[in-house]
Amino acid sequence: MYISKLSIRNFRNFSNASLDFNKGVNTIIGENGSGKTNLFHAIRIMIDESMPRITKLFETDFNRSIGEWKGHWIIIQLEFQELDSSEEAQSIAMHKIGAADDFDSTKGTYSLYFRPRIDFRRSLFELSEDEDKTDDELEKILTGISLNDYETVFAGRGNIDFSIDDNYLKYVGDFESITFPDPDEEKTDVYGVKMYGISIPNEFACTFAKALRDVESDLRSYRDNPLLNLLRDNEKNISVAKKAEIEGQVEVLNNNISGLDEVKGVSTGITQTIKEAVGETYAPNVNIKSELPSDMEKLLQSLKLWVGDPDEEGHEGRLWELSLGGANLIYLSLKLLEFEKVKKENKIANFILIEEPEAHIHTHIQKTLFQKLDKQKTQVFISTHSTHISSVSAISSMNILGRGKQKAEIYNPSKNLDGGDIVKLERYLDTNRTNLLFAKGVILVEGDAEHILIPELVKKVLGVSLDELGISIINIGSTGFENVAQLFHEERVQRNCSILTDNDLSIVELPDSLIGDSDYEKSCRQSEISGKARKQKLDAYCKGNKYLRPFYAKHTFEVDFLLANNSFEIIATVNKAYKQVADKKRIKKLIEDKDVAISGKEVLRLAEKFGKGWFAIMVSENIDNITIIPKYILKAISFACPSFNTNTLFSIAKYRLKKLETRHFDGDDTDYKKLLSELISFDNQIEAIEFYKKQLPEDVLTKLIHLAYA
């Protein structure tokens, strides 16, 4: 038995979420604030025996996107598969799959409804039946509802996924059209059957290891201490004779300590002082006694972990002497061992939930820990924002959470991909590349030069990093764009992905006839033919997919960078790389030639000579705020990050003006200091940005804004 699906409606930052799970290990990845903790809390409400059975929810538990919460429902639903024949499992089974008498007893659902009590739901239904119903009458009913008028109901065997909007509108209510269902119609096939007499969480073995844990504090806790839970379980196995012997020894020890002359002396002194102060009549009798616990369970509580560093054999110390990583590793190990001990054969399902295991744990341990977690007959859920863990996880068992406006966005990166494509992706997504799963936008490139130079262009020209813009740039190398780009799709990861590649148009004019081509012309012609074929294929692949868009250099990255009026950066690179003045002059003349057949050929020769990646590093050292970002790259950045927040744009504007004060094009007499002063004088940042665009219509920031909001 395992959880195959989780649906959430209106709970915290989940408006209408649906996540699919597999047997074994399931990974939930996402940036901070994307809802990983809220998702785990929703699951634990349903399956964790340690959670309060009377689930009390509050106004703040309603998703903000619904506006006024009154009258709305919070719904959490679990779908199970491979149910056994036990009474407990079958209480949630009989999942309808067809005609009235057609059921599948191996599937089931278990739901929580936090909803207004039936008298309010009746009032809403009666209003919806009134032909003269008005919004004011609806508002009057809703205003009278408080949290005290809500009930929490657990039900099994329901057959409707309420994360689907049409189902919610039909079976909960449409507040816009004032249409509500009759609560007195018992639709057990929709809402399920209320659970009476069986507590489903009691039938599960569930262990939860929280993130950001205070290990030392948890190991002192009476309730949450995994070490104590393990010892409690073993305490039952200690023989009666052994218990009596140990408890008797503690009694003797207590008497010996209490009988020490030093202890008796203090006791006598206290008694004498009190009598002298208040007299014999009112003075209480005082004695000092040792109270080491003699009860076996309390004795076990006194046991503490002593630990040693693997690099210091023979030394042991207290837990707090370890690094945070070491302490967290021990804590996780205890939780896993606790789970193995608690897991019983008579439990109908076993679950482990581990929240952000990467907290303070070394990267090698993260990956090893994850790979060791595939427990038989146990379903594991791990939440993470670690690329190390996501790089060794299977995307077929992965859900991605993204931060949307007032609600989480849910993506399943393997949805509707065939097995071969999934295998290719999993092989490709190593630690450096899985950051594309966390990004707000992605740029795919196929060479080291673009991968090195584009981030430097953005940082030095705009004053922000691609990371600050939420963009991941990924070098696909020889993998092929399609193998990675298939992730970005309406059915999978709904994030914009720009594909940057070369069109490879020849930099020399080619005659119509191939006869008589020089070796260089043959090479240029072949590159142009390959470039046209690649463009046709890529354009066809991206067509109809709003999350994918290709952008092409007319010739190649190096040539188009030069043609964007960046000869200064190339020449500065040459001046540092070459020692002979004659070489510097010769190359400078070639680079500054207006004929691309000459200048383009020379920049390609330099890239080939030093190696494209290394040449890009050399050029990056000479980029500054007036370097020109080629238009096709600017378009790719704009598409990958379709909306720039106002704070970011204002920050870029200030950076640009500060830099332009001291470094601008020859002949530019703009008073940038004055512009900066005027810009920061605006109380409204939007007005400040409009001012910037008006004053500098040809500036790179203005062009970027126009591209983003075109």
Side-chain angles (χ1 to χ4, degrees):
M1 175 179 177
Y2 69 96
I3 298 171
S4 55
K5 186 175 184 179
L6 167 67
S7 298
I8 307 176
R9 188 85 198 197
N10 297 335
F11 180 63
R12 296 188 179 176
N13 69 322
F14 294 100
S15 173
N16 52 338
S18 180
L19 298 91
D20 294 321
F21 299 123
N22 293 329
K23 291 192 289 186
V25 177
N26 293 269
T27 316
I28 297 101
I29 73 171
E31 60 189 308
N32 288 331
S34 59
K36 299 187 296 295
T37 297
N38 290 339
L39 186 141
F40 268 21
H41 189 72
I43 295 176
R44 292 184 65 216
I45 286 174
M46 305 297 286
I47 67 171
D48 192 345
E49 186 181 5
S50 69
M51 295 289 284
R53 280 302 86 212
I54 300 176
T55 303
K56 180 67 174 176
L57 299 176
F58 301 93
E59 295 177 19
T60 52
D61 288 315
F62 284 88
N63 180 258
R64 295 197 305 273
S65 69
I66 61 176
E68 176 56 61
W69 60 270
K70 293 183 177 183
H72 280 281
W73 297 20
I74 289 175
I75 304 172
I76 303 172
Q77 297 174 289
L78 293 179
E79 178 187 276
F80 296 89
Q81 291 196 31
E82 297 186 4
L83 302 186
D84 60 27
S85 59
S86 66
E87 177 186 353
E88 294 82 8
Q90 289 303 303
S91 69
I92 59 174
M94 308 303 286
H95 187 72
K96 182 184 287 187
I97 59 172
D101 297 323
D102 188 10
F103 297 101
D104 182 354
S105 62
T106 66
K107 291 184 178 180
T109 59
Y110 178 47
S111 306
L112 174 149
Y113 302 108
F114 185 65
R115 65 189 184 185
R117 297 186 188 280
I118 194 167
D119 51 340
F120 281 97
R121 286 184 279 129
R122 283 197 189 107
S123 297
L124 291 170
F125 168 69
E126 289 166 2
L127 174 63
S128 70
E129 293 289 284
D130 187 346
E131 293 183 359
D132 300 322
K133 59 192 173 186
T134 65
D135 290 334
D136 288 340
E137 291 174 297
L138 173 63
E139 182 66 24
K140 184 177 180 181
I141 295 173
L142 295 179
T143 301
I145 299 177
S146 71
L147 280 178
N148 291 330
D149 300 312
Y150 269 72
E151 63 179 1
T152 302
V153 175
F154 290 91
R157 303 182 182 179
N159 194 44
I160 295 297
D161 183 352
F162 284 92
S163 69
I164 298 172
D165 288 338
D166 288 344
N167 290 340
Y168 186 82
L169 293 174
K170 182 177 181 180
Y171 295 111
V172 171
D174 186 338
F175 290 76
E176 293 293 325
S177 65
I178 314 181
T179 305
F180 297 91
D182 184 352
D184 291 310
E185 285 189 10
E186 190 176 7
K187 294 186 173 68
T188 55
D189 60 328
V190 173
Y191 305 104
V193 179
K194 288 185 180 181
M195 306 294 289
Y196 294 109
I198 294 178
S199 174
I200 292 297
N202 291 344
E203 308 307 321
F204 297 142
C206 178
T207 288
F208 171 61
K210 63 184 178 181
L212 301 176
R213 45 197 163 265
D214 182 347
V215 172
E216 188 183 340
S217 174
D218 282 353
L219 289 175
R220 287 198 302 262
S221 165
Y222 179 80
R223 182 170 177 267
D224 300 322
N225 185 343
L227 175 62
L228 184 55
N229 289 337
L230 290 168
L231 293 170
R232 280 197 193 105
D233 192 52
N234 284 315
E235 186 260 343
K236 300 170 187 174
N237 299 322
I238 299 174
S239 68
V240 175
K242 276 287 184 185
K243 286 183 184 179
E245 179 184 345
I246 292 171
E247 290 170 357
Q249 290 174 349
V250 174
E251 283 289 334
V252 172
L253 182 59
N254 278 329
N255 291 333
N256 289 339
I257 294 172
S258 301
L260 290 171
D261 291 339
E262 291 79 1
V263 175
K264 287 184 175 181
V266 172
S267 176
T268 302
I270 294 172
T271 301
Q272 188 62 36
T273 302
I274 293 174
K275 288 181 178 180
E276 291 174 357
V278 300
E280 293 281 351
T281 302
Y282 297 102
N285 293 319
V286 175
N287 200 358
I288 298 176
K289 290 187 176 182
S290 173
E291 291 188 354
L292 294 175
S294 59
D295 177 76
M296 181 55 68
E297 181 175 334
K298 291 181 179 179
L299 281 173
L300 292 176
Q301 287 182 49
S302 68
L303 295 176
K304 306 297 181 187
L305 276 175
W306 281 65
V307 294
D309 193 294
D311 295 327
E312 295 184 47
E313 290 189 24
H315 172 74
E316 289 185 336
R318 301 304 296 273
L319 184 66
W320 56 81
E321 294 181 34
L322 271 184
S323 65
L324 285 174
N328 273 274
L329 184 59
I330 287 175
Y331 178 86
L332 284 176
S333 299
L334 285 170
K335 293 298 286 186
L336 294 174
L337 181 58
E338 174 192 26
F339 175 80
E340 290 299 314
K341 294 291 186 182
V342 170
K343 185 170 66 176
K344 305 294 184 184
E345 289 299 324
N346 61 351
K347 296 290 186 179
I348 62 175
N350 305 296
F351 304 101
I352 301 176
L353 288 78
I354 302 178
E355 189 177 37
E356 298 182 3
E358 67 268 20
H360 313 301
I361 294 180
H362 189 274
T363 56
H364 291 120
I365 298 175
Q366 290 178 30
K367 296 171 78 169
T368 303
L369 174 68
F370 182 89
Q371 291 169 326
K372 299 281 188 184
L373 277 177
D374 197 356
K375 305 287 183 180
Q376 287 191 347
K377 298 182 180 179
T378 299
Q379 194 172 15
V380 181
F381 299 91
I382 295 179
S383 70
T384 182
H385 50 62
S386 165
T387 57
H388 298 284
I389 290 178
S390 58
S391 70
V392 294
S393 62
I395 65 167
S396 56
S397 300
M398 178 187 295
N399 284 277
I400 300 172
L401 303 188
R403 293 177 63 177
K405 292 182 179 179
Q406 296 184 322
K407 61 181 182 179
E409 297 171 346
I410 314 295
Y411 308 128
N412 185 331
S414 65
K415 189 173 182 180
N416 291 334
L417 291 180
D418 62 40
D421 288 333
I422 292 173
V423 170
K424 290 176 185 176
L425 274 170
E426 290 176 348
R427 288 176 179 171
Y428 177 79
L429 293 177
D430 62 15
T431 303
N432 295 322
R433 293 162 178 157
T434 48
N435 60 20
L436 66 83
L437 298 175
F438 299 85
K440 294 184 180 298
V442 172
I443 298 175
L444 299 181
V445 299
E446 59 182 341
D448 292 337
E450 296 96 321
H451 193 229
I452 291 166
L453 211 50
I454 290 174
E456 284 297 305
L457 274 169
V458 173
K459 184 66 178 177
K460 292 181 178 177
V461 174
L462 300 177
V464 294
S465 66
L466 286 177
D467 287 333
E468 289 175 81
L469 296 177
I471 298 174
S472 287
I473 183 167
I474 306 296
N475 183 1
I476 63 147
S478 59
T479 303
F481 287 115
E482 293 87 348
N483 290 330
V484 180
Q486 63 186 327
L487 276 171
F488 304 97
H489 190 275
E490 182 74 35
E491 295 180 331
R492 291 179 283 280
V493 180
Q494 296 175 17
R495 291 282 190 255
N496 283 7
C497 175
S498 297
I499 298 175
L500 275 178
T501 187
D502 299 333
N503 208 7
D504 280 329
L505 293 182
S506 176
I507 60 174
V508 298
E509 188 174 345
L510 297 172
D512 293 337
S513 174
L514 282 66
I515 301 173
D517 275 356
S518 66
D519 289 343
Y520 184 69
E521 287 173 331
K522 287 180 181 177
S523 174
C524 290
R525 191 183 296 274
Q526 186 56 49
S527 293
E528 187 171 281
I529 292 171
S530 298
K532 287 180 179 178
R534 181 170 61 250
K535 185 177 186 303
Q536 288 178 348
K537 182 181 178 183
L538 201 52
D539 286 345
Y541 182 80
C542 296
K543 187 177 181 180
N545 185 342
K546 66 179 181 179
Y547 297 103
L548 277 183
R549 190 173 298 174
F551 299 89
Y552 303 95
K554 182 179 180 181
H555 302 289
T556 68
F557 173 67
E558 292 83 5
V559 174
D560 282 56
F561 177 79
L562 173 64
L563 294 180
N565 197 23
N566 290 322
S567 60
F568 171 85
E569 290 77 1
I570 304 297
I571 293 168
T573 301
V574 168
N575 288 336
K576 290 180 182 179
Y578 285 83
K579 295 181 179 179
Q580 298 297 323
V581 174
D583 288 335
K584 295 179 183 181
K585 287 183 177 180
R586 175 179 55 81
I587 296 171
K588 180 176 183 294
K589 183 179 179 181
L590 294 172
I591 290 295
E592 291 181 337
D593 198 295
K594 299 300 181 183
D595 187 351
V596 67
I598 296 172
S599 59
K601 184 176 181 180
E602 180 61 15
V603 77
L604 289 174
R605 184 192 71 82
L606 291 170
E608 188 70 25
K609 171 182 172 60
F610 294 103
K612 287 195 170 189
W614 188 250
F615 185 62
I617 292 173
M618 294 164 65
V619 173
S620 70
E621 296 174 355
N622 300 299
I623 291 174
D624 60 21
N625 62 295
I626 63 170
T627 300
I628 306 299
I629 300 177
K631 189 174 182 180
Y632 80 102
I633 294 176
L634 206 59
K635 286 181 177 179
I637 294 168
S638 172
F639 180 73
C641 186
S643 61
F644 296 86
N645 68 55
T646 304
N647 288 334
T648 299
L649 293 175
F650 187 68
S651 174
I652 294 172
K654 288 194 298 181
Y655 170 84
R656 294 282 303 154
L657 292 176
K658 285 179 183 177
K659 288 292 184 180
L660 287 167
E661 273 188 58
T662 55
R663 172 74 171 144
H664 48 261
F665 289 106
D666 293 340
D668 183 358
D669 57 1
T670 305
D671 189 344
Y672 290 107
K673 185 174 183 179
K674 180 173 179 291
L675 286 181
L676 177 60
S677 176
E678 292 180 53
L679 181 84
I680 61 179
S681 69
F682 281 89
D683 293 329
N684 186 300
Q685 289 186 348
I686 296 177
E687 293 176 0
I689 293 164
E690 289 299 318
F691 165 79
Y692 185 98
K693 288 162 56 181
K694 184 177 180 180
Q695 296 297 317
L696 301 172
E698 297 302 315
D699 185 73
V700 62
L701 174 57
T702 303
K703 292 178 180 178
L704 185 62
I705 294 171
H706 286 318
L707 287 170
Y709 296 98

